[in-house]
Amino acid sequence: MSASMVEQIRERLQQALDPSTLEVLDEGYKHAGHANEGKGHFHVRIVSAAFAGQLSIKRHRLVYAALQGLMDNGIHALSIDAKAPGE
């Protein structure tokens, strides 16, 4: 399930934000012993022109909007590193 979820996240972010850099990492292994152990924990590193001039909260909202539907169905926790080109 994790590999397909990584691909779903990647595809949605690619379509919505046309990033120049996009990394999606499954970090479930870091959460042994926590709720939903080993499942649904992801880290996204994304660089997109869509983030230029945007505050961090707005950048995160753009990422969450692109992942609508997955946040309640497969993603338990998401850490985001969102930057504009040149940052």
Side-chain angles (χ1 to χ4, degrees), residues 5 9 14 18-19 23-25 28 40 45 52 59 77-78 81:
M5 182 58 63
I9 293 168
Q14 191 68 47
D18 191 27
E23 293 178 11
V24 181
L25 304 173
R45 188 172 83 79
R59 295 173 182 193
L78 180 67
D81 180 18

Side-chain angles (χ1 to χ4, degrees), residues 11-22 46-50 85:
E11 288 173 16
R12 287 192 182 202
L13 292 174
Q14 191 68 47
Q15 290 176 357
L17 299 170
D18 191 27
S20 57
T21 301
L22 177 60
I46 182 170
V47 178
S48 173

Side-chain angles (χ1 to χ4, degrees), residues 1-3 5-6 25-42 74-77:
M1 178 177 168
S2 291
M5 182 58 63
V6 167
L25 304 173
D26 183 342
E27 295 189 332
Y29 68 93
K30 292 183 176 180
H31 301 278
H34 297 136
N36 292 328
E37 181 174 329
K39 297 179 185 173
H41 294 259
F42 300 94
I75 298 175
H76 174 72

